[in-house]
């Protein structure tokens, strides 16, 4: 068991490198990983269940006591990402169909994998989950409204389908994890020690599945779209972080806000683009799905090494259940 725990910590510390290696490998040899596509949702559910094992009820009560942090994250998300998308379309003079695809992914809610990255980054997981859930709940109204405003198009988004998706892939596994923790008590500590191993393997498999199944679209998309996607995602991370810093949030919350603003539900974007526009409009979402998992992994690795500054208002022990898993 000790060897497994050591391996678990090693993989947690080198997480970003494994994501990069398998992203490249699955692009070069997509036939090796394409079979993983049906496993994406179960794997994400497994990671979310593991996070639930580390959460305490107090983590959520802290978020309830600070609703302004959640509101700040939601507002920042729906201003920064659509705004940056629109500006990039103007700067790069993108063709109409590609521009619509870029704006569409910018108007989507937070991606579910952002919760995983916030957890690995030792951010405030409860805040990250709350922001992702609220952006998803308001997306049926805000997403088509923003697309109509910025791209002169209107999308009919199913509130029930999006709500069911976030409940199935994020909220339900986390709730089950919290319940398992309450039932098993201290007996769950051994499982927590090997969760980094499970989470890293699961996320690497998810990235490999996404890359291998999007390989042909990525090959055909061209350099300009790739550059736009990278810039879009990077500005989301930066502006999200500095927005939180501007409002003097502690480091853990700054990490979560950065990741929740910069990472999108690009799977939803690809599905909506395919249904309402042309196939090429789905390419920015497909590329974003690949890139934000790689960049999110790199950023979470960097964030984990950051230390709270002396002016932080984080109290001793606050957010400890989130940090414990990767210590």
């Amino acid at each position: 068991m000790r060897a497994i725990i050591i391996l678990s910590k090693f993989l947690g510390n080198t997480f970003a490198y494994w994501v990069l290696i398998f992203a490249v490998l699955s692009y070069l040899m997509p036939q090796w990983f394409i079979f993983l596509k049906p496993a994406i949702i179960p794997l994400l559910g497994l990671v979310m269940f593991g996070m639930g094992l580390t959460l305490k009820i107090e983590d959520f009560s802290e978020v309830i006591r600070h609703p302004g942090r959640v509101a700040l994250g939601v507002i920042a998300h729906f201003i920064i990402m659509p705004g940056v998308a629109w500006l990039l379309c103007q700067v790069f003079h993108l063709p109409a169909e590609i521009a619509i695809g870029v704006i569409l992914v910018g108007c989507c809610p937070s991606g579910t994998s952002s919760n995983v990255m916030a957890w690995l980054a030792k951010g405030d997981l409860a805040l990250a989950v709350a922001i992702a859930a609220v952006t998803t709940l308001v997306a049926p109204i805000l997403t088509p409204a923003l697309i109509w405003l910025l791209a002169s198009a209107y999308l009919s988004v199913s509130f029930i389908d999006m709500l069911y998706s976030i409940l199935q892939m994020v909220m339900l596994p986390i709730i089950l994890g919290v319940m398992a923790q309450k039932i098993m008590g201290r007996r769950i500590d051994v499982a927590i020690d090997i969760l980094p191993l499970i989470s890293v393997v699961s996320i690497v498999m998810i990235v490999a599945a996404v890359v291998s199944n999007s390989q042909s679209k990525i090959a055909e998309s061209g350099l300009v779209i790739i550059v736009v996607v990278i810039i879009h995602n990077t500005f989301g991370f930066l502006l999200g972080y500095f927005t939180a810093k501007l409002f003097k949030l502690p480091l853990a919350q700054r990490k979560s806000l950065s990741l929740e603003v910069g990472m999108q539900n690009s799977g939803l974007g690809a599905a909506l683009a395919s249904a309402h526009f042309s196939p090429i409009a789905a390419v920015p979402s497909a590329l974003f799905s690949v890139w934000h998992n790689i960049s999110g992994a790199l950023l979470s690795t960097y964030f984990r090494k950051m230390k709270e500054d002396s002016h932080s208002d984080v109290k001793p022990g606050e957010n400890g259940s989130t940090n414990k898993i990767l210590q």
Side-chain angles (χ1 to χ4, degrees), residues 102-226:
V102 172
I103 290 173
L104 195 156
V105 73
C107 295
C108 283
S110 295
T112 52
S113 57
S114 61
N115 300 154
V116 179
M117 301 306 174
W119 174 55
L120 291 169
K122 295 186 179 181
D124 188 328
L125 176 59
L127 176 63
V129 171
I131 293 173
V134 174
T135 58
T136 299
L137 290 174
V138 300
I141 296 174
L142 287 184
T143 295
L146 287 168
I147 293 171
W148 177 83
L149 178 66
L150 299 176
S152 299
Y154 181 81
L155 284 178
S156 178
V157 180
S158 172
F159 172 80
I160 298 299
D161 288 348
M162 294 177 67
L163 178 61
Y164 176 74
S165 176
I166 197 73
L167 289 175
Q168 180 187 39
M169 292 187 290
V170 180
M171 300 307 296
L172 181 58
I174 287 178
I175 291 171
L176 291 175
V178 171
M179 291 174 60
Q181 174 204 141
K182 286 294 182 183
I183 293 171
M184 298 186 68
R186 299 286 300 179
R187 290 174 292 178
I188 209 70
D189 288 350
V190 175
I192 291 176
D193 287 335
I194 64 171
L195 281 177
L197 170 62
I198 296 172
S199 63
V200 169
V201 171
S202 297
I203 294 170
V204 166
M205 291 174 69
I206 290 171
V207 170
V210 171
V211 172
S212 61
N213 281 274
S214 306
Q215 196 263 3
S216 60
K217 292 181 180 178
I218 295 171
E220 297 169 2
S221 62
L223 182 60
V224 173
I225 303 179
I226 295 174

